[in-house]
């Protein structure tokens, strides 16, 4: 089998859970940088990463890297790479995204244009043609420039991996599925522990937790760009790993996962999304105000994405909302609270300084993941 260097982008600040996921799949990490983790693997590793990783954005095959401070250097560096090893004569290829940080070359559109021309020049010589119909499979590329070092990756994924396929309906400010999964993985929650999201919206956090509890691979039911690259990854590898994933699913898991929302329509949407994900039997959704939050058992987890107050009229309501959340949290017996928010008064209004606080970028928005840790249960405190 061929060996690839695979680059896996993720949300800034959430490299640790992604690194742990890759290690758990049995692969050795070669680099961890801001917003991405790199490891070596074969065709199976590429497929397994796409289907099984919960916290990743996409899986890129590293084509090469080089130093470039001028567009001529960018052109020549791109042209020197072995594009014919990946892109056939009828392939459709383009630079889908260019990102530049602390580099001399900074214009995404110019970087994309120069690289496309360089690829065309090389492939014209290789395939002895003057024009490409580009009528075959798609080969989108992504390029990162950091301090004038250019890294080019071939995107095997297509639509971002956060698009599991179950979320047909969303809330006004939904949290991405891979971000929700990472937040859960940053807690000690396991499927034999209680999990409640008191601001569940369209149900993403409870659904991701239920998929973890059921050992359900997040990419089982979606397609990937590289499925059409049969000269790189054999079709049977996709079918074999999907079959492996199906055999791992356990919908008989004994769970206590709950999602609450004040809006009836959001509760209906959350139930529908859980049904599409195939985990509706593992979650209880209900209409409930945070002011009535309660649970009779000990050692549970509140994991939530409460309102941030994106609109000015909403900001006025935030102090009272967070104070209420803090009061209800303190009324629970030996629970932990984990919440992501950009609201700066969160700790003050919760009424307690967080035990841990992690900066996380939710898209372009800087947020903080506040971790209020409860006591650990003894073995009798578990189910």
């Amino acid at each position: 089998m061929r060996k690839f260097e695979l680059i896996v982008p993720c949300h800034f600040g959430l490299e640790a859970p992604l690194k742990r996921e890759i290690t758990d799949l049995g692969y050795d990490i070669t680099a961890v940088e801001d917003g991405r983790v790199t490891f070596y693997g074969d065709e199976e590793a590429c497929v397994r990463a796409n289907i099984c990783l919960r916290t990743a954005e996409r899986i890129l095959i590293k084509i090469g890297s080089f130093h470039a401070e001028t567009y001529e250097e960018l052109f020549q560096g791109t042209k020197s790479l072995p594009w014919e090893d990946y892109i056939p004569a009828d392939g459709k290829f383009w630079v889908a995204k260019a990102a530049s940080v602390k580099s001399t070359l900074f214009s995404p559109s110019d970087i994309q244009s120069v690289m496309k021309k360089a690829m065309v020049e090389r492939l014209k010589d290789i395939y002895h043609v003057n024009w490409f119909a580009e009528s075959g499979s798609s080969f989108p590329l992504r390029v990162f420039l950091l301090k004038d070092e250019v890294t080019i990756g071939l995107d095997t994924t297509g639509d971002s991996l956060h698009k599991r396929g179950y979320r047909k309906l969303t809330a006004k400010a939904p949290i991405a599925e891979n971000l929700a999964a990472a937040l859960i993985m940053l807690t000690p929650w396991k499927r034999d522990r209680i999990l409640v999201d008191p601001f569940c919206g369209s149900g993403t956090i409870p659904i991701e937790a239920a998929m973890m509890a059921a050992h359900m691979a997040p990419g089982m039911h979606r397609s990937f760009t590289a499925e059409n690259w049969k000269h790189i990854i054999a079709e049977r590898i996709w079918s074999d790993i999907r079959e492996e994933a199906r055999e791992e699913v356990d919908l008989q898991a004994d769970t206590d996962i709950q999602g609450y929302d004040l809006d009836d329509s959001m509760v209906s949407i959350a139930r529908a999304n859980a049904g599409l994900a195939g985990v509706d039997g593992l979650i209880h959704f209900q209409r409930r105000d945070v002011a009535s939050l309660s649970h009779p058992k000990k050692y549970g987890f509140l994991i939530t994405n409460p309102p941030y107050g994106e609109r000015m009229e909403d900001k006025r309501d935030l102090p009272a909302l967070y104070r209420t959340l803090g009061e209800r949290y303190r009324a629970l017996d030996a629970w932990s609270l984990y919440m992501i928010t950009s609201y700066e008064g969160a700790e003050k209004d919760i009424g307690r300084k967080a035990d841990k606080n992690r900066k996380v970028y939710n898209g372009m928005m800087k947020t903080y993941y506040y971790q209020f840790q409860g006591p650990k249960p003894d073995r009798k405190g578990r189910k």
Side-chain angles (χ1 to χ4, degrees):
M1 281 195 167
R2 295 171 69 174
K3 282 287 184 183
F4 302 117
E5 190 170 7
L6 298 170
I7 303 169
V8 189
C10 64
H11 285 269
F12 282 93
L14 297 177
E15 298 83 7
L18 174 58
K19 179 183 175 182
R20 187 164 71 246
E21 278 198 282
I22 294 169
T23 301
D24 287 347
L25 286 179
Y27 303 111
D28 295 327
I29 305 296
T30 58
V32 179
E33 301 162 272
D34 286 345
R36 56 178 167 160
V37 178
T38 304
F39 72 101
Y40 279 105
D42 55 15
E43 293 99 319
E44 285 189 4
C46 184
V47 174
R48 189 166 279 111
N50 269 301
I51 290 174
C52 298
L53 291 179
R54 300 182 190 279
T55 62
E57 288 282 340
R58 58 187 68 251
I59 312 301
L60 308 175
I61 295 174
K62 183 177 177 180
I63 303 299
S65 60
F66 53 86
H67 187 87
E69 296 180 37
T70 67
Y71 284 113
E72 178 61 23
E73 288 175 335
L74 179 65
F75 182 93
Q76 295 300 336
T78 303
K79 187 179 177 182
S80 70
L81 297 175
W83 296 108
E84 64 277 7
D85 290 351
Y86 303 93
I87 302 172
D90 66 345
K92 180 183 179 182
F93 56 96
W94 74 102
V95 179
K97 185 175 181 180
S100 177
V101 178
K102 298 179 182 177
S103 297
T104 308
L105 305 178
F106 60 86
S107 167
S109 59
D110 290 337
I111 292 167
Q112 290 166 305
S113 176
V114 168
M115 290 182 63
K116 171 76 175 189
K117 289 176 183 175
M119 293 166 67
V120 167
E121 284 301 307
R122 180 179 180 101
L123 292 176
K124 277 168 59 177
D125 292 340
I126 296 293
Y127 293 124
H128 307 292
V129 296
N130 291 316
W131 179 78
F132 291 92
E134 299 195 49
S135 56
S137 300
S138 294
F139 295 84
L141 295 146
R142 295 195 165 225
V143 58
F144 313 94
L145 280 76
L146 176 62
K147 296 179 181 178
D148 299 320
E149 289 299 314
V150 182
T151 302
I152 304 170
L154 182 60
D155 182 8
T156 70
T157 302
D159 286 340
S160 171
L161 288 174
H162 81 266
K163 295 186 176 181
R164 322 290 205 212
Y166 66 74
R167 200 166 71 178
K168 304 300 183 185
L169 302 164
T170 63
K172 284 187 295 185
I175 187 170
E177 293 89 330
N178 56 351
L179 175 54
L183 298 181
I184 297 166
M185 291 174 65
L186 286 170
T187 79
W189 179 82
K190 297 289 184 286
R191 69 179 188 169
D192 63 343
R193 305 282 294 277
I194 305 158
L195 187 153
V196 174
D197 180 357
F199 303 98
C200 73
S202 53
T204 308
I205 290 175
I207 292 170
E208 289 295 318
M211 290 174 70
M212 290 180 193
H215 304 304
M216 183 180 289
M220 277 175 54
H221 303 301
R222 56 158 288 172
S223 60
F224 304 93
T225 298
E227 287 185 77
N228 295 315
W229 304 350
K230 294 178 178 59
H231 61 298
I232 298 176
I233 302 174
E235 193 172 359
R236 63 165 181 80
I237 297 176
W238 292 97
S239 57
D240 287 351
I241 292 176
R242 279 199 173 95
E243 182 58 31
E244 281 180 24
R246 281 192 288 271
E247 290 174 357
E248 286 288 317
V249 176
D250 174 18
L251 293 175
Q252 305 307 311
D254 184 13
T255 60
D256 188 347
I257 300 172
Q258 302 183 34
Y260 308 149
D261 203 279
L262 188 58
D263 186 338
D264 268 326
S265 64
M266 281 294 100
V267 174
S268 297
I269 287 171
R271 286 181 182 137
N273 287 338
L276 290 169
V279 293
D280 46 323
L282 301 179
I283 311 170
H284 175 65
F285 289 108
Q286 65 172 282
R287 181 187 179 279
R288 181 184 281 197
D289 191 336
V290 68
S292 62
L293 173 63
S294 64
H295 199 288
K297 295 183 180 178
K298 298 177 67 171
Y299 304 120
F301 289 80
L302 297 175
I303 305 179
T304 192
N305 175 39
Y308 303 173
E310 291 86 355
R311 298 177 303 180
M312 287 303 295
E313 59 268 29
D314 294 334
K315 289 186 185 295
R316 293 191 295 268
D317 300 330
L318 290 185
L321 181 71
Y322 281 75
R323 281 197 296 270
T324 301
L325 175 60
E327 289 165 5
R328 298 317 306 155
Y329 165 55
R330 287 189 293 277
L332 295 165
D333 190 356
W335 279 49
S336 300
L337 166 62
Y338 293 81
M339 67 175 183
I340 184 171
T341 182
S342 64
Y343 173 48
E344 295 179 357
E347 287 176 300
K348 172 179 171 289
D349 290 326
I350 288 291
R352 173 182 160 185
K353 184 172 176 58
D355 298 293
K356 291 184 179 179
N357 183 5
R358 180 186 290 262
K359 186 191 297 181
V360 175
Y361 279 86
N362 185 359
M364 297 303 292
M365 182 185 294
K366 182 171 69 174
T367 62
Y368 291 92
Y369 191 41
Y370 295 100
Q371 303 170 54
F372 303 89
Q373 297 168 343
K376 294 179 180 179
D378 55 30
R379 296 199 68 83
K380 293 178 182 178
R382 298 195 175 214
K383 288 186 184 179

